[in-house]
Amino acid sequence: MSTIRVVWGTASGPTKMSSYDAALAAANVHNYNLVSVSSVIPADASVEAVGTAPDLGPAGNRLTVVEARATRPGPGHVSAGLGWTESDGAGLFYEAAGETDASEIEERVRAGLAAGRELRDWEFSDEAVKTVTEDAEPGTYVTAVVLAVYGESEPIC
C-alpha cells in the first residue's frame, strides 16, 4: 500500500515565486519538481495528514501532487484548502484556494467533495479537510499551499 501525505505551508516573500517557494519549504517539498494530477485517490493508497513531508528522495526528482495554492500581494490574505474522502476502493481529493477566509475555502472543498461523491457509485467513508490562511504585509507577497503528495519522488530522466 502506498501513502499519500497531506502537507501544508504558508510564507511571505518579496516576489510571487519567492513566497511560493518558501511556502513549499514550510511543507518540505521545495526541492522537487511538482507534477499536478487530478484528484482521484488510487485504490491501494492510504492518506495521512502529516503537515511537513519527510525526505522523499533526491532533489530535482519529480513529485506527484494535488495542490491547493493561493498567492497575492499585500495587504490582504489568502487561504488554501484540501479535502479528501475515501471509499472501500479509491477516493477523492478536492482543492480550493483564494483571497478569502479559511471557512469559505472549507465550504467550497466540502461542496466539491459532495459533488464528486454524487458522480460515483462508491461507498464513501468520512471526509477530512485541511485549510491554511496567511496575511500579507504591504510590499510583500504571501502564499498558502496544501498538497497531497503521492508516495516518493521519482527521477525525471
Side-chain angles (χ1 to χ4, degrees):
M1 178 178 287
S2 61
T3 301
I4 300 173
R5 295 171 183 88
V6 177
V7 300
W8 53 88
T10 61
S12 61
T15 67
K16 282 183 179 181
M17 191 54 72
S18 67
S19 71
Y20 176 55
D21 194 27
L24 293 177
N28 197 36
V29 293
H30 58 303
N31 289 327
Y32 303 104
N33 288 296
L34 305 182
V35 178
S36 293
V37 295
S38 62
S39 303
V40 176
I41 300 169
D44 65 343
S46 66
V47 179
E48 295 179 10
V50 298
T52 304
D55 179 5
L56 298 173
N61 272 4
R62 173 180 48 236
L63 191 59
T64 303
V65 301
V66 173
E67 178 180 38
R69 169 190 175 189
T71 301
R72 71 156 292 149
H77 65 273
V78 294
S79 299
L82 182 78
W84 59 99
T85 184
E86 297 177 78
S87 71
D88 292 338
L92 298 172
F93 285 112
Y94 193 87
E95 62 274 13
E99 298 176 11
T100 187
D101 296 323
S103 60
E104 183 175 327
I105 295 298
E106 182 173 346
E107 287 177 27
R108 290 182 197 170
V109 168
R110 290 190 188 280
L113 287 171
R117 282 192 296 268
E118 288 180 21
L119 294 173
R120 291 161 178 86
D121 188 24
W122 301 344
E123 292 293 321
F124 287 95
S125 59
D126 294 336
E127 67 183 36
V129 177
K130 175 60 186 174
T131 60
V132 294
T133 191
E134 187 69 33
D135 293 325
E137 297 297 324
T140 67
Y141 286 83
V142 68
T143 297
V145 295
V146 184
L147 305 99
V149 177
Y150 286 59
E152 305 286 321
S153 68
E154 300 173 348
I156 288 181
C157 48

